[in-house]
Amino acid sequence: MKKKHSVIQIDIANRQYVFVLAASYIAVCMIVVASIFIMMSSWFRGYIKEKVYEMSSVQLENITENVNHQLDYYQVSLQNLFMEPHIKASLYTNQSDAINEWNITRYLQYAVNNDGYIDYSVIYQKGRLKQIIGHVYPSEEEQQEVLEKLQSTQHDKQVFFINNEETSQRRFFLFRMERDSLNGPPQRGVLYAINQSKISDMLLASEDDKYSYLVFDKEGNLILSQNEEEQAQIEKINESASAAQGQLRELEIGASTYFLTSSYSSDYQLNFVQLMDISEMDKVMGAYFKRSLIWVALVLIISCILATIVARMIYKPLKRFFKRISSYSRLEDEPSMYGDSIIQMTSEKIISQISEISRQVHTDQVLGFLEDEPGEALMPSVLKLREQERVLLLYGRSKIGRVDGKQARSLFEAMGKALSGYQTKMFSEENGWYCVYLICEKALIKTEQSAVISLISDVLEQQQRMGSNLYLLCSDWITDEHDFQSEFRKLQEFSKYVLFGECDQVCDSSIFETKKDEDVPKKLLQPVIDAAKCGDEIQAKQLTATLLKQLSGYEIKKIFHALSYFSTELENVSVQVPVATKKYQEIYMMHYIKLSSLINQKQLYDYLSNLIEDACLEVNTYQERSIRTDMLSALEYINSHYQEPELSVEQVSEVIHISPSYFSRMFREISELSFPEYVNNLRLNYASELLKTKRLSVKEVAQKAGFSGTSYFSAQFKKKYGTSPSSYRNETSKSE
């Protein structure tokens, strides 16, 4: 007994899914609103940090300039002391006297008293502090530490720091020394011991309590500071400052949070640090965050209400839709074999789709490479030739337009069977303008190209009998893969010979290389243009058919240039555009583009025939308008001069400048009377009026009406009115 597999059925049209739909919308709304809130908060905090960093950088730069300026001042003061004659004499000699000692003491004391920040000044000579003057006298331990640190210096721009733990005094030292060698130990000079606390209050003073400043030397020793900091905090600040060059960092010290900005000065190898207490700002930001949460909650509530409304609006049509689906088919239990077959069919379909995608990718790569300029695209691996391999490149086009994909694949399969010893490849876009086939052969076989073309011709002939409209152009054997692009372009160009009936099935490209590479003589085109200018449409079309056969012997580019000139001249019959103008060139290029996009011989002939018809219609219309105008002028002249006996066809035709015979023919077509009949009618009508109103003799009436003789007048009058002129007068007199 076969075991049935139970299938869970889900009724999506059930009313409970309106709540699922609403919950989904609400969840999406919450995610979107939360994401926007988080992004806005992050952006706002980043914006605040950026502005704080810009402001802090300016303030820190000002502090750096102030400190460097003060240190430069001390360096100048030390230089002046060093150059003072009494001090210099003491430094370079061991001799001393009371007066010299008194002068040295006076200078050193003046430097200390005049500044207010110097605790003491020192004269240094060869490893000993020779003389110390100031408000404070250092202990032996401090003097020893000063000597050690001074001897470790390499130049006068260095600053060192000493912390006297006994007196809780911090001092940093500036000096002017003479050295025996570059970066060598100092030999003699002067130095200042500067009170750190006093000068920090002066140099690092800030109007805002949120800001505090510190200055470190390159070893991380604190040189200047506004506040008393613990050693652990100093090390933490120095470490963060070293890592924060050029950026803003957050730093927590105790219960407070700071923004830290640092700037390094290479003049004295000092690192300047600004700390900004942001505890208050965090409180403000917290309050802002709480207010924002209230607005977010309101937005979420509104979004939930809208989501519920939208869900109910969507639910009804969705319910009808799924009910309709469920009425057509229901999911039922099926045996395992059915499920296995479905899986197999699905797998085959997936594999087929993957294969089709892969084939299309290769096609796009190959066709893109062939259409690209040489050297600008990478060659696809499928076009790379193996050793001793050669290839025939076949370029396929349709005689009616785009290439039918089914016809292209059918031809490919048929060629694969007919050319069993060769490897065939096809590259064709779906409903593209062309397709490409490759016939690959090992060079050892050495098959003649004509033999391969003969086999392909037989295959294509069978395909054409089955309704195919493809034709092929074949390249020479390609042995160098770098020739693919040039051969492809050559075949594209040669495919245009189908417009002249040159390509029917399979064409060897070599037959087109013997075409004339010279401009088409204008004398071949002129007879058609002249016939069109004369309005002779039939002759112009007959000459065009002959012209196309003559043009097929020229190179295709020369033909298109000749036909573009030919088309422009035909259009110029009606448009009348001067040759050496931009407009003429635009018309020429328009025809060149249109001609080169034509597909077959019929399209080319129809294109040229339409131009001929338009030109002839314009010529004939113009001629007809001109003839009618001339005939009106002739009638006006006749009506004014019919009383003159010498009026003749020659006289009137000369007035309107046409031949007498052509005038007579056109006059009869328009008036439906010959010239003598029309003139006699005018004269007889005038004579009848004279007979009614004037007391003139018949002879006088004949002369006034324009007749040269009385007998001819009487005969013509009787012919029209059925009576003689005399009788006509008597009858009209009686009736009156």
Side-chain angles (χ1 to χ4, degrees), residues 193-416:
I194 301 171
N195 189 295
Q196 184 202 56
S197 177
K198 291 180 180 179
I199 200 167
S200 294
D201 292 340
M202 187 270 291
L203 293 177
L204 306 181
S206 175
E207 297 178 357
D208 196 335
D209 295 338
K210 293 196 299 292
Y211 298 100
S212 59
Y213 298 92
L214 302 94
V215 181
F216 295 89
D217 63 10
K218 67 177 183 178
E219 282 81 21
N221 297 314
L222 183 63
I223 303 299
L224 298 175
S225 175
Q226 290 176 281
N227 305 313
E228 294 292 332
E229 309 288 350
E230 296 180 1
Q231 185 61 32
Q233 294 178 348
I234 292 173
E235 292 176 357
K236 186 175 183 180
I237 293 171
N238 181 59
E239 182 180 349
S240 298
S242 300
Q245 293 295 330
Q247 57 183 331
L248 189 71
R249 292 174 67 94
E250 286 190 26
L251 179 66
E252 291 186 3
I253 301 176
S256 300
T257 304
Y258 297 87
F259 278 156
L260 182 146
T261 310
S262 65
S263 173
Y264 181 75
S265 173
S266 59
D267 291 345
Y268 292 94
Q269 298 180 342
L270 299 177
N271 196 12
F272 293 82
V273 178
Q274 182 197 63
L275 293 176
M276 176 184 175
D277 190 348
I278 58 172
S279 301
E280 291 297 326
M281 188 176 72
D282 281 345
K283 292 179 182 179
V284 174
M285 292 288 289
Y288 166 77
F289 183 76
K290 290 178 181 178
R291 288 195 297 271
S292 300
L293 283 178
I294 295 172
W295 283 104
V296 170
L298 289 174
V299 171
L300 283 175
I301 292 171
I302 295 171
S303 300
C304 292
I305 295 171
L306 291 176
T308 305
I309 295 171
V310 171
R312 292 182 64 85
M313 292 173 63
I314 293 176
Y315 168 71
K316 291 183 179 179
L318 193 65
K319 180 179 179 180
R320 289 196 298 269
F321 171 74
F322 282 111
K323 278 188 175 181
R324 183 175 295 178
I325 290 177
S326 61
S327 66
Y328 290 140
S329 60
R330 295 186 178 278
L331 189 63
E332 298 180 354
D333 296 340
E334 291 292 341
S336 177
M337 185 180 297
Y338 176 78
D340 294 341
S341 63
I342 290 294
I343 292 172
Q344 184 178 357
M345 289 170 60
T346 304
S347 300
E348 291 175 355
K349 188 174 182 180
I350 291 172
I351 292 171
S352 174
Q353 289 177 347
I354 292 173
S355 176
E356 179 64 22
I357 292 171
S358 176
R359 186 191 66 79
Q360 193 59 45
V361 169
H362 280 299
T363 296
D364 293 342
Q365 289 177 345
V366 170
L367 298 185
F369 171 76
L370 293 176
E371 291 177 350
D372 214 335
E373 292 294 331
E376 292 188 2
L378 292 176
M379 180 179 295
S381 58
V382 71
L383 292 181
K384 293 184 178 180
L385 300 181
R386 301 182 184 89
E387 188 177 356
Q388 295 187 337
E389 186 179 32
R390 60 181 186 171
V391 174
L392 281 179
L393 176 64
L394 298 177
Y395 180 80
R397 291 293 298 261
S398 171
K399 297 177 182 178
I400 61 173
R402 294 184 180 272
V403 174
D404 188 311
K406 292 182 179 179
Q407 292 183 7
R409 284 190 290 273
S410 176
L411 177 59
F412 171 67
E413 293 170 359
M415 283 196 300

Side-chain angles (χ1 to χ4, degrees), residues 81-96:
L81 278 178
F82 184 84
M83 298 303 294
E84 204 283 323
H86 297 90
I87 294 177
K88 201 165 188 178
S90 176
L91 290 172
Y92 284 94
T93 64
N94 291 322
Q95 299 177 0
S96 62

